[in-house]
Amino acid sequence: MAVSEILTRFGEVSADPLGYARAWKARSGQPVIGSFPMNFPSEMAHAAGALPVIIQESDDPITVGHGLLFPFYCGFTRSAVDQAGKGDLAVLDAIMFGDHCVQLLGAADAVRVALPETRVIFFQLISSMCDPWTFGRAKESFEKLRSELEDFLGRPVEDEAMRASIRLFNRNRALIRQLYQMRVDGRASLTASQMQSVVKSSMVMDRREHTDLLEALLAAIPHEPAARDSRAIRLHLSGHFCQAPKPELLDMIEGCGAVVVGDDLYHGFRFISTDVPEEGDPMDGLARWYMDRNTGVPCPTRVQNDVDWDAFLIDAMRRQSAEGMIVLMAKFCEPHMYYYPEVKEAFERAEMPHLLIETEHESMALEHIRTRVESFLELVKRRRGVARPSVRSMEGEAA
Ligand code: SF4
């Protein structure tokens, strides 16, 4: 398959994840297990013979969801509940919920009401990451999830099947990381939105099918320096946890003369950063993975005294030679809102420029955002080869 065909396929699945799930279910006759971001180990549902699908924000405006969830909940939770209310999530035989923020808890209850026929499996993961008991409690939580899944499907999830799924998922992540690195190095010519569709489709597609397509993509893509404008501003994108930033926003940022050389987005490096250990007890491996992810790319929904998100961001930017950072904050995302002041302070201390853009589910005033992005990039450009100005951050809302 040609590079363009594979990228088109990833783009199609990203644009219509539930359509893919429906077609897969009709083809295979097997169950589809949805999960909420960001900590559910999809390997487990895969090992049980189901299709694990991470629920995605839909582009549709919220309608019935207004009656099910508060308007001051984040766009992702409102969209997910709206999809449940409209019956779109009925393709999911079960939905796994983790408890990583208060709004997700509210969404779990609303989905229970909207989809009484769908099994809702709730699991609680310890959010304090550096206590002596964290590893054991994380393992316990995953074991409980496994037994609930077995109860729902009426069949065991064997250790050997878990190991095979872990190997496949690790392979998938490794291939995406390879592509990601080629893009960062300028060896693969992919836009930020194309890279997002590679990651987002991996959250939805049958992993074997996705991995085969990735292998074909890596074999076909030219491994040579891309024609990248050396004047483009090298940017790091940070934020957006549960939902993918809209592709038009990414395209607009790059269209303003920037190139995204790194990110910690959930639909980006955060999702592919960490593999599950392949040797030993798979449940130990999943607990290890859960803990390692927060060390690799810290998440503000977890609490860990010995890792800092702001320090991670500054280090990552230095490694990537990023000249500025754009923070994409989903409106009403409490964990992000609580943590952002620390990031802002740290960036001001380090004299690193950053721009905060608050995003909304429905109304994205792209022209207004474009003006702010252009001004920010101009500010960053002026820093090249001159003494650093005293003001380093720009704040405000996108819409
Ligand atoms: S972490 Fe943020 S984006 Fe995710 S569900 Fe909670 S509030 Fe929404």
Side-chain angles (χ1 to χ4, degrees):
M1 263 172 112
V3 169
S4 60
E5 279 178 86
I6 300 170
L7 291 175
T8 300
R9 181 68 185 134
F10 288 153
E12 285 166 354
V13 176
S14 300
D16 185 16
L18 295 173
Y20 177 87
R22 279 185 212 102
W24 183 91
K25 192 168 171 172
R27 205 165 60 230
S28 68
Q30 294 299 308
V32 179
I33 310 273
S35 75
F36 271 60
M38 296 185 278
N39 296 308
F40 172 71
S42 297
E43 289 86 340
M44 209 184 271
H46 183 268
L51 176 73
V53 169
I54 297 179
I55 294 169
Q56 303 291 328
E57 185 185 40
S58 149
D59 281 339
D60 293 344
I62 311 285
T63 54
V64 293
H66 284 309
L68 292 164
L69 211 58
F70 297 114
F72 50 81
Y73 273 35
C74 73
F76 173 75
T77 47
R78 285 185 298 119
S79 171
V81 165
D82 190 62
Q83 292 176 68
K86 287 172 181 159
D88 297 347
L89 297 188
V91 63
L92 307 176
D93 297 275
I95 302 180
M96 307 278 191
F97 280 90
D99 62 336
H100 68 244
C101 77
V102 171
Q103 298 183 29
L104 213 61
L105 294 178
D109 285 338
V111 168
R112 264 189 238 271
V113 170
L115 294 175
E117 304 300 320
T118 305
R119 172 82 166 254
V120 171
I121 301 174
F122 194 83
F123 75 111
Q124 193 160 21
L125 267 170
I126 204 77
S127 56
S128 175
M129 302 297 286
C130 51
D131 289 303
W133 35 262
T134 305
F135 179 87
R137 292 288 296 279
K139 184 178 170 186
E140 251 175 52
S141 181
F142 285 140
E143 274 166 349
K144 186 163 176 291
L145 182 63
R146 179 178 178 167
S147 59
E148 288 207 35
L149 196 56
E150 290 174 334
D151 176 60
F152 171 66
L153 292 170
R155 56 181 182 250
V157 183
E158 305 286 359
D159 277 358
E160 214 27 69
M162 286 275 290
R163 287 195 193 94
S165 297
I166 286 169
R167 283 195 295 274
L168 175 62
F169 279 52
N170 281 349
R171 171 86 183 135
N172 188 265
R173 279 185 285 258
L175 290 170
I176 302 179
R177 283 198 300 269
Q178 191 183 334
L179 188 65
Y180 183 95
Q181 193 54 46
M182 285 169 61
R183 182 175 178 276
V184 169
D185 296 344
R187 285 177 292 141
S189 183
L190 293 177
T191 64
S193 56
Q194 284 173 325
M195 193 66 228
Q196 181 194 85
S197 77
V198 173
V199 177
K200 187 174 172 184
S201 56
S202 82
M203 297 175 169
V204 173
M205 279 177 96
D206 177 284
R207 280 309 200 289
R208 168 51 56 207
E209 185 186 353
H210 194 269
T211 304
D212 289 347
L213 284 174
L214 270 177
E215 281 170 348
L217 178 65
L218 280 159
I221 204 164
H223 289 230
E224 58 198 31
R228 180 178 279 177
D229 183 352
S230 60
R231 292 165 305 174
I233 301 288
R234 296 172 64 85
L235 281 187
H236 184 100
L237 287 188
S238 173
H240 257 239
F241 302 140
C242 299
Q243 74 266 52
K246 294 194 188 302
E248 54 269 33
L249 179 61
L250 300 180
D251 291 343
M252 183 274 284
I253 289 171
E254 290 199 319
C256 287
V259 56
V260 177
V261 293
D263 73 81
D264 66 356
L265 306 171
Y266 179 59
H267 288 75
F269 191 67
R270 186 180 294 282
F271 187 69
I272 55 168
S273 65
T274 312
D275 287 337
V276 183
E278 294 182 8
E279 305 303 326
D281 176 3
M283 303 313 288
D284 278 344
L286 289 180
R288 189 71 262 153
W289 164 80
Y290 172 65
M291 295 180 74
D292 288 350
R293 291 168 86 218
N294 201 57
T295 311
V297 185
C299 178
T301 68
R302 312 289 92 183
V303 178
Q304 186 161 1
N305 299 333
D306 54 353
V307 298
D308 249 324
W309 192 25
D310 44 75
F312 162 83
L313 286 170
I314 289 172
D315 284 353
M317 284 185 60
R318 288 186 174 137
R319 274 198 316 277
Q320 296 151 0
S321 305
E323 300 166 279
M325 172 174 76
I326 292 187
V327 175
L328 300 175
M329 183 190 286
K331 193 165 190 170
F332 300 125
C333 177
E334 283 174 353
H336 199 174
M337 285 159 66
Y338 287 145
Y339 204 99
Y340 172 69
E342 282 191 39
V343 170
K344 181 175 183 289
E345 262 181 38
F347 270 66
E348 284 175 352
R349 271 198 311 275
E351 299 198 332
M352 292 173 103
H354 83 280
L355 170 71
L356 171 65
I357 293 176
E358 192 178 59
T359 65
E360 294 204 50
H361 173 68
E362 275 152 338
S363 54
M364 288 273 289
L366 265 189
E367 284 314 308
H368 171 56
I369 305 173
R370 184 195 306 278
T371 307
R372 295 184 53 234
V373 170
E374 284 171 348
S375 307
F376 175 67
L377 295 181
E378 193 52 42
L379 180 145
V380 175
K381 206 176 284 177
R382 285 200 204 137
R383 286 166 47 96
R384 286 180 170 171
V386 296
R388 291 174 173 184
S390 56
V391 178
R392 299 288 165 246
S393 65
M394 298 171 67
E395 292 178 70
E397 295 184 359

